[in-house]
Amino acid sequence: NAPRPAGIGMRVELNSRREIEVKAIHRNGSAERSGSILVGDTLVAIDADKVSGLPMAAIAQLIRGPKGSTVLLTLRRPSPGGASEEIKVELTRGTPSFFLEIENARAASKLHELKGHLVEVELELDGLRSVL
């Protein structure tokens, strides 16, 4: 029973110019968490693979992968005046609950570290009190 592949928290569709366009960014997904992807960006490449002409199913397969693995997107962003710029964004595949688990583990680790510092401070305070 293989684990289900995870995405990056965005929906893409073929637009009228036959480009793969970002249509939605899902809450708490990797795309939103990066802060680098905007609705209206067009997808140029996934890792080293150009997406022009690929069927949507193939694009979805390139985007999805094991939780915690990364994918590099090349996007074209329209800029004022009709020009556009290409940006590269590396995202981690996962579900919102996957990212929440990571954040909880980091928070628990930090809390443990802070408790250790608190014990050190209390010992120093005890030493100071005995001097006073």
Side-chain angles (χ1 to χ4, degrees), residues 44-51 62 71-74 88:
V44 176
I46 302 167
D47 292 323
D49 301 312
K50 298 280 185 191
V51 297
L62 289 170
V71 61
L72 179 65
L73 303 183
T74 303
K88 292 187 184 297

Side-chain angles (χ1 to χ4, degrees), residues 3-21:
R4 289 185 50 203
I8 53 173
M10 69 180 204
R11 183 171 46 89
V12 295
E13 294 177 6
L14 201 59
N15 67 18
S16 60
R17 294 179 305 284
R18 313 246 351 120
E19 300 168 318
I20 309 303
E21 185 175 331

